[in-house]
């Protein structure tokens, strides 16, 4: 007789959600974790970075207090140590919350490093915590090393920062997001390699604190996954805040010294230049944690290190599943959570809908924020779509003006014939909270006419969404 119906390996957003959903469906469930409940997202990613960015926002608001008729006496200054301490406290609270959820749902927590060990079996070995998590203790009542069996094993081991040759992190001058989240001193000049969400968020944070920041991107433009017009708008706003950019070039050499580093950049035509920096943050994406899981021995098929799965999270080996970053992009916590529910409901014999990757929103929590879902204009046109484009600037929105946050843009892409919403792209204050309106519209297959007939409250930033739709129909009111 097997110990469990489901064993989940990895307690990040995908893993712990999978365990909870399995328990809800009456499946006897265990979850294996080697380092921290909540995974990278809660402990060293999504949540603590947002805590730092909130501190940066508070600093910026204090600096602009006079714009709002508020007199601040004394110096307004950043306290990096206090910001980091608050961020780490937020992360600790999140980990404790996941532990509570495991107890509430009667899910066994197994502490250690897991490896597949034959059909329906997992061997767990004791694992020392990483030095950055020194002092971390397993939750009360956690099980230890041993061999455990289950009808189904769900692998949710996540990903780690990608290491580029010559740019290996040393924890002192060359950082990954781990070191950036626990910085003890403000960089004299921060060089960020990569302009995806991670790189841009940290560039935004350190620039707000007053550090000179330079971003290097191999693609022709920053934020290469975003709509080009939105990315260009964002770049202009970042440049106003003093962030410098070098696009279409790579870092070919990094010379490290006691006081800083010298980076050699090579452009697309072979031209080179040097940049001096105190610190380098390598934010060139992530790679899956697929090593040392026993995947090859189990016969699990991989593709570029990712577990190859079907639309329901099933690998090519019966009883072995994979979700989240381990199963491929987009590498987003909310994608992992949704895959977790689909995977578990399929295991339980339900009939879940497969994940539509074109309806997964992406958010970057910089200043200004960026959010998007669906097709970019470039991709829509490349697919031969006859599109109607609508745009509306925050400059024409009363709430944005009242907030002192009038630099933003909403862009929608509709199918001209059917009115289907193909994509929505936004830059500006609080757009990460607004994008879900467009996600729901796409999921419910709403058309431009149906969105135009919806009543949006006034005054709100969300009115920019309706105005963009109206603009696509040639009916914008306030511009």
């Amino acid at each position: 007789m097997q110990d469990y119906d489901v064993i989940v390996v990895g307690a990040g957003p995908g893993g712990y959600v999978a365990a909870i959903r399995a328990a809800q469906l009456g499946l006897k469930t265990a979850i294996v974790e080697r380092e921290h409940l909540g995974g990278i997202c809660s402990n060293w990613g999504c949540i603590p970075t947002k805590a730092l960015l909130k501190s940066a926002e508070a600093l910026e608001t204090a600096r602009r207090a006079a714009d709002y008729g508020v007199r601040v006496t004394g110096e307004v200054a950043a306290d990096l140590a206090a910001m980091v301490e608050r961020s780490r406290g937020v992360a600790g609270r999140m980990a404790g919350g996941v532990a509570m959820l495991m107890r509430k749902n009667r899910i066994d927590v197994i502490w250690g490093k897991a490896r597949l060990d034959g059909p329906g079996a997992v061997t767990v070995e004791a694992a020392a915590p990483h030095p950055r998590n020194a002092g971390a203790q397993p939750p009360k009542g956690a099980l230890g090393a041993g061999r455990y069996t289950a009808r189904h094993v769900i692998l949710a081991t996540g990903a780690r920062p990608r290491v580029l040759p010559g740019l290996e992190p040393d924890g002192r001058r060359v950082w990954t997001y781990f070191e950036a989240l626990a910085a003890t001193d403000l960089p004299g000049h921060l060089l960020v390699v990569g302009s995806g969400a991670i790189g841009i968020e940290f560039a935004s944070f350190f620039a707000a604190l007053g550090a000179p920041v330079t971003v290097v991107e191999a693609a022709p433009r920053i934020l290469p996954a975003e709509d080009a017009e939105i990315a260009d708008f964002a770049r202009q706003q970042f440049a106003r805040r003093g962030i410098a950019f070098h696009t279409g070039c790579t870092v070919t050499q990094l010379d490290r010294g006691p006081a800083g580093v010298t980076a050699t950049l090579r452009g697309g035509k072979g031209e080179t230049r040097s940049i001096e920096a105190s610190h380098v943050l390598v934010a060139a994406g992530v790679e899956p944690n697929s090593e040392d899981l026993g995947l090859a021995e189990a016969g699990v098929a991989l593709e570029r290190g990712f577990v190859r799965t079907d639309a329901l999270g099933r690998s090519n080996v019966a009883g072995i599943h994979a979700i989240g970053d381990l199963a491929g992009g987009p590498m987003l916590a909310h994608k992992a959570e949704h895959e977790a529910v689909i995977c578990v409901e399929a295991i339980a014999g339900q009939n879940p809908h497969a994940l539509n990757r074109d309806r997964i929103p992406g958010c970057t929590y910089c200043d200004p924020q960026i959010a998007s879902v669906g097709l970019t204009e470039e991709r829509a046109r490349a697919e031969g779509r006859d599109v109607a484009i609508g745009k509306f600037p925050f400059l024409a929105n009363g709430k944005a003006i009242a907030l002192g946050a009038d630099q933003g843009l909403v862009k929608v892409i509709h199918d001209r014939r059917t009115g289907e919403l193909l994509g929505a792209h936004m830059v500006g204050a609080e757009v990460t909270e607004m994008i879900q309106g467009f996600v729901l519209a796409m999921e419910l297959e709403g058309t431009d006419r149906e969105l135009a007939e919806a009543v949006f409250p006034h005054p709100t930033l969300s009115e920019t969404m309706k105005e963009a739709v109206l603009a696509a129909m040639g009916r914008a009111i306030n511009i």
Side-chain angles (χ1 to χ4, degrees):
M1 183 176 178
Q2 286 146 333
D3 298 319
Y4 298 97
D5 296 310
V6 174
I7 292 177
V8 182
V9 179
Y16 85 75
V17 169
I20 291 172
R21 186 66 184 124
Q24 288 175 341
L25 292 171
L27 302 175
K28 187 179 181 184
T29 305
I31 191 165
V32 185
E33 176 54 50
R34 66 182 182 181
E35 204 160 2
H36 34 50
L37 294 176
I40 292 297
C41 177
S42 294
N43 292 274
W44 291 99
C46 319
I47 302 302
T49 56
K50 304 312 163 285
L52 290 181
L53 288 163
K54 181 61 180 179
S55 294
E57 179 187 344
L59 177 65
E60 196 69 24
T61 300
R63 287 172 175 160
R64 295 181 56 201
D67 294 345
Y68 300 95
V70 177
R71 184 179 303 146
V72 176
T73 59
E75 181 186 12
V76 174
D79 185 340
L80 180 59
M83 291 179 179
V84 170
E85 182 180 7
R86 176 180 181 272
S87 173
R88 300 314 310 149
V90 169
R93 183 174 174 182
M94 293 298 297
V98 176
M100 180 276 296
L101 290 171
M102 296 302 99
R103 293 192 299 270
K104 173 188 173 184
N105 290 279
R106 298 181 180 178
I107 297 164
D108 286 346
V109 176
I110 305 172
W111 207 251
K113 179 178 172 58
R115 182 181 177 86
L116 297 173
D117 185 15
V122 171
T123 293
V124 178
E125 299 177 350
H130 191 278
R132 64 175 169 265
N133 296 307
Q137 297 293 322
K140 184 178 179 180
L143 303 177
R147 188 173 188 270
Y148 300 89
T149 59
R151 291 189 299 115
H152 297 274
V153 176
I154 301 175
L155 302 174
T157 53
R160 62 186 182 277
R162 178 179 291 122
V163 176
L164 301 179
L167 278 69
E168 293 84 1
D170 57 27
R172 299 182 302 278
R173 295 292 176 185
V174 183
W175 292 348
T176 66
Y177 55 75
F178 289 115
E179 292 79 20
L181 273 167
T184 55
D185 297 296
L186 189 66
H189 179 196
L190 178 64
L191 177 64
V192 179
V193 181
S195 71
I198 295 173
I200 289 296
E201 287 185 2
F202 278 111
S204 182
F205 171 72
F206 283 107
L209 270 59
V213 176
T214 299
V215 178
V216 176
E217 172 56 54
R221 58 179 174 81
I222 69 167
L223 297 160
E226 300 295 339
D227 183 88
E229 189 170 6
I230 296 297
D232 289 344
F233 187 102
R235 178 170 178 164
Q236 293 172 17
Q237 298 304 310
F238 298 148
R240 289 182 180 181
R241 301 178 60 211
I243 301 175
F245 293 94
H246 296 284
T247 54
C249 60
T250 57
V251 178
T252 59
Q253 185 174 331
L254 206 60
D255 297 316
R256 313 175 195 219
V261 296
T262 301
T264 301
L265 276 56
R266 182 180 298 276
K269 297 180 180 179
E271 71 279 12
T272 61
R273 73 181 78 184
S274 295
I275 294 181
E276 304 285 337
S278 63
H279 297 80
V280 175
L281 169 61
V282 181
V286 297
E287 54 191 0
N289 293 323
S290 53
E291 302 87 354
D292 300 323
L293 291 174
L295 295 174
E297 295 84 346
V300 176
L302 301 179
E303 185 173 344
R304 296 180 294 109
F306 299 96
V307 175
R308 190 185 303 160
T309 62
D310 65 10
L312 301 178
R314 297 174 296 203
S315 77
N316 63 305
V317 177
I320 298 177
H321 313 255
I323 60 173
D325 292 352
L326 183 64
M331 319 289 261
L332 299 168
H334 45 280
K335 174 258 195 184
E337 293 173 344
H338 202 79
E339 282 183 325
V341 173
I342 292 170
C343 179
V344 169
E345 289 183 351
I347 286 172
Q350 299 191 0
N351 189 29
H353 291 289
L355 178 65
N356 185 337
R357 293 172 187 267
D358 282 337
R359 295 176 182 169
I360 300 174
C363 296
T364 305
Y365 300 82
C366 45
D367 182 12
Q369 296 179 7
I370 300 161
S372 60
V373 64
L375 303 183
T376 63
E377 180 180 355
E378 180 181 22
R379 183 178 161 193
R381 294 191 186 280
E383 292 183 2
R385 303 272 196 159
D386 182 14
V387 296
I389 307 295
K391 306 170 194 176
F392 193 82
F394 277 37
L395 278 167
N397 175 263
K399 181 65 176 291
I401 294 170
L403 291 175
D406 62 0
Q407 295 301 302
L409 178 67
V410 177
K411 178 178 180 179
V412 294
I413 302 161
H414 288 273
D415 184 286
R416 189 180 300 277
R417 183 180 64 84
T418 66
E420 177 188 1
L421 179 61
L422 302 175
H425 309 274
M426 315 166 77
V427 55
E430 301 303 328
V431 296
T432 59
E433 298 291 341
M434 295 158 58
I435 191 64
Q436 193 60 23
F438 283 132
V439 176
L440 284 169
M442 294 177 72
E443 192 65 29
L444 297 173
E445 300 180 350
T447 65
D448 52 1
R449 185 170 298 278
E450 289 167 327
L451 285 168
E453 290 175 354
V455 178
F456 284 65
H458 174 80
T460 63
L461 296 174
S462 68
E463 290 175 281
T464 60
M465 301 165 66
K466 180 172 181 175
E467 288 277 11
V469 173
L470 291 173
M473 303 170 71
R475 293 173 43 193
I477 300 296
N478 287 293
I479 194 169

